[in-house]
Amino acid sequence: GNTFRLSGPAGAVAASVTYDAATRTATLQPSLGLSPSSTYTAQLLTGIADSAGNPLAPLSWSFTTASAPAVGLLNGGFEIDSNGDSRPDSWTGNAKFTRSSAIAPHGESFAGQFLASDNSGVTISQVVSNIVPGVSYDFGGWTNIPPTADSFTLTYEVRWQSASNSTLGTSSIKTYNAATNGWEQTKATLLAPAGAAKAQVRVVVSSLNATLYVDDLAFGNTPPPADTTPPTVGARVPAAGATGVL
């Protein structure tokens, strides 16, 4: 690793290096995935030589990783109910969470309604795949809580999961425990932790003896910045000012 290195935006990249003598191939394997939309530089330094002791001239080259895949919630406005059971598609099912037109929704025709009269705990969730560690993801949603004397809580959160569904941590976004003045927006930008492959977007309600509404939930990655670097000419043949060109 002392003669074959990789560096990126955060500096040196931890990696292991192997060499296959049969194919004369050196392979550098980063310990963790590389960040998307980032430029990295590989270097072959002094100290590399063949079996006869002839040194390899130092060499470096750069490359840019692909952008993170676009991800997002399905049915965030709770409009789709394919089987007509009043429970919005793509979300975990719960009889105490239905799509509703009892109030004017924030978005199209329906909003999501939490309704209970027995101090219930109700959680709905949806798992978003293709999460990339180190990438920022935006959450947004709207909440409407009519006047009530109930002592409840409604919390928006994101539970980060590994590829094997192990929980890596939970980002709590906002908790409500009182009436709102109509529809109120919640927004947050979250950074996916190391090892994250999935994000479970959750709305967690506890001790509910009232009616609460949510609508137009969204979760997705921030688009990479536009490429504004002008192109350049890497080489010219014949070179400028050349003479005797045949």
Side-chain angles (χ1 to χ4, degrees):
N2 293 329
T3 54
F4 191 1
R5 298 178 184 176
L6 181 67
S7 59
V13 175
S16 61
V17 176
T18 58
Y19 180 71
D20 186 333
T23 61
R24 298 181 181 179
T25 301
T27 301
L28 183 147
Q29 180 63 52
S31 301
L32 297 174
L34 303 182
S35 300
S37 302
S38 300
T39 299
Y40 289 83
T41 299
Q43 294 176 291
L44 297 176
L45 306 177
T46 56
I48 301 174
D50 62 16
S51 58
N54 300 305
L56 177 72
L59 175 68
S60 68
W61 68 97
S62 297
F63 60 90
T64 301
T65 54
S67 59
V71 301
L73 284 175
L74 301 176
N75 200 23
F78 311 110
E79 299 293 321
I80 304 171
D81 172 23
S82 299
N83 63 3
D85 66 355
S86 296
R87 303 180 190 182
D89 292 0
S90 301
W91 295 88
T92 52
N94 191 300
K96 294 176 181 178
F97 180 78
T98 59
R99 68 174 191 164
S100 172
S101 57
I103 64 169
H106 176 265
E108 300 177 45
S109 302
F110 297 94
Q113 175 185 267
F114 290 94
L115 173 61
S117 57
D118 57 357
N119 290 316
S120 289
V122 184
T123 298
I124 64 166
S125 66
Q126 184 179 145
V127 174
V128 178
S129 300
N130 296 320
I131 297 299
V132 177
V135 169
S136 293
Y137 293 87
D138 294 325
F139 172 86
W142 293 82
T143 309
N144 190 330
I145 302 174
T148 177
D150 185 37
S151 298
F152 68 91
T153 61
L154 181 152
T155 300
Y156 294 105
E157 65 182 33
V158 172
R159 180 174 291 175
W160 304 101
Q161 298 176 330
S162 67
S164 59
N165 298 321
S166 297
T167 298
L168 303 174
T170 300
S171 299
S172 182
I173 299 169
K174 186 168 184 177
T175 296
Y176 289 88
N177 57 16
T180 61
N181 183 19
W183 286 105
E184 181 176 311
Q185 188 178 25
T186 298
K187 296 192 297 182
T189 298
L190 310 173
L191 188 68
K198 303 176 185 179
Q200 186 186 59
V201 180
R202 298 159 51 90
V203 187
V204 182
V205 177
S206 64
S207 303
L208 183 62
N209 191 18
T211 305
L212 318 175
Y213 298 94
V214 296
D215 203 3
D216 290 338
L217 304 190
F219 178 85
N221 51 316
T222 304
D227 181 1
T228 58
T229 304
T232 60
V233 176
R236 293 171 293 178
V237 178
T243 61
V245 177
L246 299 178

